[in-house]
DNA sequence: AAAGGCGGAATGAACATTCACTCCACAAAA
DNA sequence: TTTTGTGGAGTGAATGTTCATTCCGCCTTT
C-alpha cells in the first residue's frame, strides 16, 4: 500500500502482494542500513504492512534476509547468463559477464548493495567458505567467469594468476564503480563503462609483446613482517 | 586484557592504556560485526573494562567510532606515504601506493575492514560526498594516487578515464583480494601480490601498440533501460 | 583522608517476536 | 437470493529481551 491507497477490497491484485512489498522494503532498507541497522518495525512501515504480517511469510528476521538473498542472488546469476554463449571467444564472454554485472548494478541498485552486504557479512563469508552457494539449478560447478578464466589460461590468452586474483581484477573495479555510482558520487556514461570494461580485460589478458616491465622493485619492503 | 590476565596493580604501564584497549576492541569487533552488530557491552568485555569506562574516554558510541576512524584513517594514509617519492616515475609511484594498500590490509586486517565498513556506511558516504575527509595534515588537496593519475595522463602514460574509474581499477582488485585474504578464503603469496599489482598497472596504463581491440560489441544491449 | 578512575548494576528506550483479535472472501445452509 | 458459518490473512498492542547510557559505591592513588 502506498500513499492514498483507497483501501478498497484487496481481492485479486493483492494476492500474495504483501510478500512482495515486504521483500522490496527489506532489500531497500537493508541495502542502505545493513541487517542490524534495520528493525522489523521499519521494514513493516516501509512495506505498509503490520509488523506481525512479516512473520506470516517468514520465520524470523534471519530467514527473511536469507530467503531474500537466495532469491535475489539467483535472479542476478540468471541475468548474467542471459544471452551468454559459451562458444564465443574468451574476450567476448568475459566482457558479456562483466558488462552484465555493471548493468545489473546500475539497474538494480538496492539488490546490488543487498547482495554485497550479504557477501561481506559473517554469514556470507561462512557460506562462501563452505562453498554452499545458492543451489538455484546449478550443481555447484564453477561459475561461468571461472570457466572463462580456465579456458583463457589454457589458450594462453589470460594471465597465469590464481582464480581469486583474476576474479578480483575483473569484479573489483566494477563493484567499486557501481557502488560510487549508486552513492551518487559519480555519473556513469556508456563510454566510461565500455572503457572500464576494456581496462579490466587489459588487466587479466596475457600480453604478447616483449616490453613487459618487471614488477619487483628492489627497494620495495618485504610484505611479511610489521615494521 | 586477554584470558588469564593476572590483574595485578595497573599502576604505571596501564596509564591511558584503557583507551587503547577500548580502541583495539572496537576496531576488531566492528570490523567483523559492523556498527549496529557490536553492542557496547561486547566492546567492554573484549577490552576487559567496565562498560561505564568507555564513556570516560568517548562521548557516546557514535563518537567512539568516528574518533577511531579518524585516527585509523590518518595512520593508514601516513603508512602509504612512507617512503613515497613524488619524483619517481609514474609507474613506480603507482606501484608504491598500491603495494602499500596491500601491505596495510594484510598486516592490519581489523583496521582495514574497519575503514572499509566505515567508508561504505551511510556516514562514510555522506562524508565522501561532502569531500570532508580527515584533515590529518593534508589541506584537502588531491590524494597522492589522484596526483599520480593526473600526472600520468599528462604524460600520456595512463588511460584517459575519469579519476573515479582509474581509482576503481587500481584499488578495487586490491580491496577485493585483501578481503578474501582476511576472510581466510585465499592465501596471498608475494608472487601473486606482485603479479596482481602489475595487472592493475596494465589496467590503467595507456598502451602504445596498435592492436587494440574495440570494446563496443554491436550486439551488446543498451545499459540505459530495463528490459 | 581526599580525589578521582573504575566496574558493573540500574535505567529507560528500542528491539524481535507473539498472540488475541478483526476482517473479509467464500461456501454451505436456508 | 439471503443468511450464517468458517478459515485464514492481517494487525498492532503486549511481552520479554537487549541495548546505550547513567550512576553510585569501591578502591587505587596521592
Amino acid at each position: 500500500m502506498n500513499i492514498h491507497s483507497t483501501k478498497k477490497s484487496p481481492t485479486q491484485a493483492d494476492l500474495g502482494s504483501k510478500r512482495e512489498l515486504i521483500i522490496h522494503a527489506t532489500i531497500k532498507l537493508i541495502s542502505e542500513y545493513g541487517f542490524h541497522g534495520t528493525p522489523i518495525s521499519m521494514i513493516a512501515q516501509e512495506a505498509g504492512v503490520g509488523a506481525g504480517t512479516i512473520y506470516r511469510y517468514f520465520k524470523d528476521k534471519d530467514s527473511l534476509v536469507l530467503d531474500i538473498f537466495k532469491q535475489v542472488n539467483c535472479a542476478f546469476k540468471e541475468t548474467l547468463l542471459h544471452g551468454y554463449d559459451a562458444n564465443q571467444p574468451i574476450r567476448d564472454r568475459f566482457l558479456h559477464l562483466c558488462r552484465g554485472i555493471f548493468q545489473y548494478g546500475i539497474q538494480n541498485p538496492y539488490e546490488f548493495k543487498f547482495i554485497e552486504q550479504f557477501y561481506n557479512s559473517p554469514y556470507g563469508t561462512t557460506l562462501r567458505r563452505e562453498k554452499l552457494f545458492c543451489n538455484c539449478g546449478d550443481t555447484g560447478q564453477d561459475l561461468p567467469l571461472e570457466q572463462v578464466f580456465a579456458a583463457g589460461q589454457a589458450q594462453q590468452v589470460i594471465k597465469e594468476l590464481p582464480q581469486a586474483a583474476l576474479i578480483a581484477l575483473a569484479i573489483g573495479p566494477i563493484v567499486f564503480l557501481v557502488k560510487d555510482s549508486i552513492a551518487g558520487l559519480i555519473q556513469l556514461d556508456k563510454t566510461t563503462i565500455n572503457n572500464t570494461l576494456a581496462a579490466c580485460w587489459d588487466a587479466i589478458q596475457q600480453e604478447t609483446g616483449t616490453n613487459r616491465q618487471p614488477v619487483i622493485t628492489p627497494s620495495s619492503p618485504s610484505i611479511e613482517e610489521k615494521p
Side-chain angles (χ1 to χ4, degrees), chain A:
Chain A
M1 307 292 165
N2 269 325
I3 322 166
H4 56 213
S5 70
T6 17
K7 189 114 189 191
K8 46 185 173 183
S9 61
T11 33
Q12 42 179 136
D14 285 354
L15 256 181
S17 78
K18 297 263 159 166
R19 192 170 198 275
E20 289 304 308
L21 288 171
I22 293 166
I23 289 175
H24 285 131
T26 304
I27 292 171
K28 176 178 177 182
L29 293 174
I30 288 196
S31 73
E32 180 155 9
Y33 304 112
F35 179 82
H36 295 290
T38 68
I40 289 284
S41 57
M42 199 189 291
I43 295 174
Q45 184 169 50
E46 172 81 23
V49 303
T53 307
I54 293 174
Y55 290 86
R56 299 200 59 77
Y57 294 99
F58 302 95
K59 181 173 150 287
D60 53 20
K61 198 182 173 187
D62 271 334
S63 78
L64 166 70
V65 173
L66 192 55
D67 288 359
I68 294 178
F69 168 74
K70 287 178 183 168
Q71 175 182 323
V72 171
N73 198 38
C74 288
F76 170 54
K77 285 185 183 176
E78 279 170 20
T79 301
L80 290 190
L81 255 26
H82 180 75
Y84 179 76
D85 180 358
N87 295 319
Q88 287 202 300
I90 297 293
R91 185 168 184 272
D92 291 343
R93 286 198 269 163
F94 173 81
L95 290 176
H96 176 99
L97 293 173
C98 289
R99 186 187 305 279
I101 299 174
F102 245 125
Q103 282 183 301
Y104 183 87
I106 291 171
Q107 291 171 357
N108 309 92
Y110 297 139
E111 283 80 0
F112 188 87
K113 287 197 74 179
F114 182 86
I115 293 175
E116 237 260 321
Q117 289 243 13
F118 189 90
Y119 269 66
N120 285 317
S121 72
Y123 203 160
T125 302
T126 303
L127 271 195
R128 277 211 283 167
R129 191 175 290 117
E130 295 172 355
K131 288 207 172 193
L132 289 177
F133 279 121
C134 164
N135 292 332
C136 68
D138 64 43
T139 53
Q141 52 195 335
D142 281 349
L143 297 171
L145 199 55
E146 289 166 338
Q147 292 173 1
V148 171
F149 290 151
Q153 287 178 327
Q155 296 177 26
Q156 309 254 51
V157 177
I158 286 182
K159 288 181 178 136
E160 282 298 334
L161 278 167
Q163 284 272 352
L166 292 174
I167 290 177
L169 287 164
I171 296 180
I174 299 176
V175 171
F176 210 97
L177 261 194
V178 169
K179 281 200 290 192
D180 277 1
S181 166
I182 293 173
L185 298 169
I186 53 167
Q187 186 69 32
L188 286 178
D189 58 80
K190 214 184 274 191
T191 305
T192 300
I193 291 174
N194 283 329
N195 290 338
T196 303
L197 289 172
C200 287
W201 172 255
D202 291 341
I204 65 161
Q205 80 163 324
Q206 181 77 267
E207 314 259 348
T208 52
T210 55
N211 60 338
R212 308 262 65 227
Q213 287 182 261
V215 182
I216 304 171
T217 58
S219 62
S220 56
S222 164
I223 206 160
E224 315 287 5
E225 303 288 341
K226 287 209 180 197

